[in-house]
Amino acid sequence: MVGYDPKEDGRSNSKFEVAVAGSVSGLTTRALISPLDVIKIRFQLQIERLSRSDPNAKYYGILQAGRQILQEEGPAAFWKGHIPAQLLSIGYGTVQVYKTLQDAVVTMYRTEGPLVFYKGLTPTLIAIFPYAGLQFSCYSSLKHVYEWVMPANRKHSENLKNLLCGCGAGVISKTLTYPLDLFKKRLQVGGFEQARATFGQVRRYRGLLDCTKQILQEEGAQGFFKGLSPSLLKAALSTGLVFFWYELVCNFFHCLKRTDS
């Protein structure tokens, strides 16, 4: 994982082992938290209020949305867009309204050309650097706080510490950069209004500033944080599990070396 060196903890993992650990942790975590990602994106794209009191709202809560998706689309729907998500595809939000990745790619290319695959790139680039920086900075700070708060004779295993601190780092960094993620999703699905008609109202945005302006005018400042609750749950589990699996695999390689020696 970029920005984290297991050798600081006395382990002697090679660069290859670190790369394998990062890949395994990323792939495993993505598969486990995909359902939350699907629900989060549905919330982000819903123009109507996320409230039971709004008769036009298709989704208004995590459990309600989960039941609705399960009833209407089946369990496989919770892994819609999973393949492009694993490939870090920018078009993840759009793939969810099509049957397959191939169907999404062909339709997108035919209707809007190759530039359609880069919709939402601006808020994505803006968010990458502060999110990554905050994530590792918070993770390191929380580990120091944990070691200061927990007496030596009451400290739990290193894996638990990594999991808890990773969860906290994910929550903090995700909250601070969340609006940019919402803007990205809104821009990515532009041009696919017909495919999304069954999910509620749709809007067209001319760019990042226009998207920001329309959301503020029609949905208020709270509109910038639609889907924050499943996003925070996802961020906590995702970041915590990433660090958990990463440390676990690194420790596995380290133990193998000690056994061989």
Side-chain angles (χ1 to χ4, degrees), residues 46-60 64 68 197-201:
Q46 181 168 296
I47 305 298
E48 297 82 2
R49 288 187 304 145
L50 296 171
S51 172
R52 186 191 296 266
S53 61
D54 188 340
N56 297 316
K58 185 177 181 67
Y59 307 117
Y60 52 79
Q64 177 271 336
Q68 185 105 0
T198 57
F199 294 99
Q201 299 181 54

Side-chain angles (χ1 to χ4, degrees), residues 90 117-128 184 187-188:
I90 291 176
F117 299 109
Y118 296 92
K119 281 187 174 181
L121 182 60
T122 301
T124 299
L125 294 177
I126 295 174
I128 284 176
K184 177 184 71 172
L187 293 171
Q188 284 177 332

Side-chain angles (χ1 to χ4, degrees), residues 166-234:
C167 288
V171 168
I172 295 171
S173 54
K174 175 57 70 174
T175 300
L176 295 176
T177 60
Y178 186 78
L180 289 168
D181 187 47
L182 184 139
F183 299 151
K184 177 184 71 172
K185 296 301 189 302
R186 293 285 182 99
L187 293 171
Q188 284 177 332
V189 297
F192 299 91
E193 287 75 16
Q194 184 176 359
R196 295 176 48 235
T198 57
F199 294 99
Q201 299 181 54
V202 292
R203 292 289 184 274
R204 289 182 179 272
Y205 304 112
R206 295 188 297 273
L208 177 58
L209 293 179
D210 181 53
C211 179
T212 305
K213 181 180 178 181
Q214 285 197 49
I215 293 175
L216 185 61
Q217 291 177 340
E218 298 183 8
E219 306 168 55
Q222 66 269 27
F224 296 143
F225 295 91
K226 279 185 173 178
L228 181 61
S229 52
S231 181
L232 289 181
L233 182 56
K234 172 204 163 189

